[in-house]
Amino acid sequence: MAWVDGIYGGAYDGRVFVLTHQPPDDSQDSRISFISDGIEAAVATAQAAAGDKDAGVFASSLSRQCLQARLLDEIVIP
């Protein structure tokens, strides 16, 4: 998926986790994993993959869900 190459102007080269109700049968890009188990599972998966680095949330709906579930440590507004 070409949009992954544009994250942080192309400077990001990590994994991408997509929270979705309908994951595709097969991802065409090995950097992308689809999660359909809910926001808590998505955040836990991203945190585990990030190790000692930060895990970021992109999308206003996901950010709101994370806030409501008290899953965010920090909010950065550019």
Side-chain angles (χ1 to χ4, degrees), residues 50-77:
D52 62 349
K53 297 180 181 178
D54 292 335
V57 176
F58 295 92
S60 58
S61 175
L62 292 178
S63 298
R64 181 178 31 79
Q65 291 176 55
C66 287
L67 280 170
Q68 290 173 338
R70 299 183 175 268
L71 297 171
L72 295 181
D73 293 328
E74 182 177 288
I75 298 173
V76 177
I77 300 173

Side-chain angles (χ1 to χ4, degrees), residues 17-22 33-43 62 65:
F17 300 95
V18 178
L19 181 61
T20 180
H21 293 288
Q22 298 178 338
S33 295
F34 293 91
I35 301 170
S36 59
D37 296 334
I39 193 71
E40 291 85 359
V43 169
L62 292 178
Q65 291 176 55

Side-chain angles (χ1 to χ4, degrees), residues 1-5 7 14-19 24 26-35:
M1 296 185 167
W3 58 266
V4 173
D5 296 326
I7 298 174
R15 299 283 310 275
V16 175
F17 300 95
V18 178
L19 181 61
D26 187 18
S27 175
Q28 301 297 321
D29 190 327
S30 62
R31 299 171 294 177
I32 302 172
S33 295
F34 293 91
I35 301 170

